[in-house]
Amino acid sequence: MNKQNINEWKSVLNADPIDWLLENDNPSVRYFTLTDILELPESDLDVSKAKDAIMNNGVVPQILAKQEKGGYWGSPEDFYIRSKYHGTVWTLIVLAELGASGEDERIRQTCEFILEVSQDRASGAFSYQGTPKNGGQHSAVIPCLTGNMVCSLLKFGYLDDPRVQQGVDWIVTYQRFDDMIEQAPKGWPYEREPCWGKHTCSMGIIKTLKALAEVPPAARSLSIKKTIEDGAEFFLQHYVHKRSHAPDQVSKPGWLKFGFP
């Protein structure tokens, strides 16, 4: 974003928020303001200091202080469903969104824990049930969890890890973008009615786009680019907020307060 573009969006605001966003009390917000809005490089001294502050001040060190020795939070077997929204899966997502460092040994330990207990070793997708011995259950694979875990692992520097690449391949192979089709695909993984059924789950597509957005443009295959295009088109067709199986209805009526038509 160049200076002209910054000034353009500032012109519609009552005041300039940059100084507020750069305050030191929230190092994650400061870091992302420096990199995403002001577009400073990682080599910049202020960016480097903000990145270090994420791991030393504020929420991230508080979260990591509650981590168990095995790299998980709470009970190791309750990493997803029964621990919403405070178990290991959710904590990893939060740490990734806050800009925690993938070079930190505690973060790496959690990434390896998730890969060990949640990833289906046959397909590369992620499951809501699993064990360290056998990995994620093949029958418990779901698209939203797969997208979230691939996204978080990519944020933490696992782009070249073949296990994460397998997860990316699963997304571009199996993610659907359809509504109320007469004949849904047969077989695994589509028999999971809550996630697939007769129409696409919007949450799965959102997580798909989150994950694939973390793949650097230069590393995106034609299939990744096509999946991103299909996901974006799906939401454009539904005006972002309309139900996938009933496009004339708003997904969450409360969203109307934001001014959606």
Side-chain angles (χ1 to χ4, degrees):
M1 184 183 297
N2 57 42
K3 186 174 182 180
Q4 180 179 352
N5 290 335
I6 293 176
N7 290 332
E8 286 178 358
W9 63 258
K10 282 184 181 180
S11 68
V12 301
L13 303 178
N14 292 326
D16 186 344
I18 295 296
D19 288 343
W20 172 58
L21 294 172
L22 289 175
E23 290 180 358
N24 291 317
D25 62 334
N26 192 323
S28 296
V29 171
R30 176 176 171 80
Y31 169 77
F32 288 119
T33 301
L34 291 169
T35 56
D36 293 347
I37 297 180
L38 300 182
E39 295 187 335
L40 296 178
E42 293 289 333
S43 58
D44 181 88
L45 182 59
D46 285 337
V47 172
S48 178
K49 288 181 178 180
K51 188 72 172 178
D52 289 342
I54 291 174
M55 301 305 297
N56 295 305
N57 304 312
V59 176
V60 169
Q62 294 177 33
I63 293 173
L64 290 173
K66 297 181 180 296
Q67 184 190 53
E68 301 292 343
K69 291 183 178 180
Y72 54 86
W73 283 260
S75 300
E77 65 274 12
D78 295 334
F79 57 86
Y80 181 61
I81 290 184
R82 288 184 292 180
S83 62
K84 280 189 175 182
Y85 288 92
H86 53 81
T88 307
V89 160
W90 309 101
T91 304
L92 185 67
I93 294 171
V94 169
L95 289 170
E97 295 293 343
L98 289 172
S101 174
E103 296 180 0
D104 187 277
E105 181 57 33
R106 296 165 295 179
I107 299 292
R108 303 294 288 190
Q109 190 177 24
T110 299
C111 291
E112 292 299 325
F113 171 84
I114 287 297
L115 285 164
E116 184 178 25
V117 305
S118 177
Q119 188 173 37
D120 171 27
R121 294 167 189 174
S123 70
F126 287 81
S127 307
Y128 60 83
Q129 291 180 333
T131 64
K133 181 179 178 180
N134 299 314
Q137 289 184 12
H138 190 68
S139 60
V141 160
I142 51 176
C144 57
L145 175 59
T146 299
N148 269 329
M149 292 299 91
V150 169
C151 175
S152 298
L153 289 163
L154 288 173
K155 284 179 179 290
F156 287 133
Y158 277 73
L159 176 64
D160 297 323
D161 191 298
R163 297 169 295 179
V164 177
Q165 286 297 320
Q166 191 181 11
V168 171
D169 291 342
W170 185 91
I171 289 173
V172 301
T173 300
Y174 290 101
Q175 183 58 58
R176 289 167 51 191
F177 305 95
D178 54 72
D179 292 316
M180 291 297 287
I181 57 177
E182 294 183 3
Q183 186 62 50
K186 298 294 185 181
W188 181 90
Y190 302 114
E191 66 266 18
R192 287 203 57 77
E193 184 74 21
C195 295
W196 302 106
K198 293 183 178 180
H199 63 87
T200 298
C201 170
S202 296
M203 290 296 102
I205 300 179
I206 289 172
K207 306 311 186 294
T208 284
L209 291 176
K210 276 184 61 180
L212 299 186
E214 291 302 319
V215 179
R220 294 174 187 172
S221 64
L222 291 177
S223 59
I224 289 176
K225 293 177 181 178
K226 178 64 165 54
T227 304
I228 292 173
E229 292 172 359
D230 289 344
E233 183 60 29
F234 178 90
F235 283 111
L236 289 172
Q237 289 177 357
H238 294 84
Y239 297 90
V240 178
H241 64 297
K242 298 296 180 70
R243 291 177 182 263
S244 61
H245 61 286
D248 60 327
Q249 300 177 24
V250 175
S251 295
K252 300 289 184 181
W255 291 353
L256 293 174
K257 67 182 180 182
F258 295 111
F260 291 120

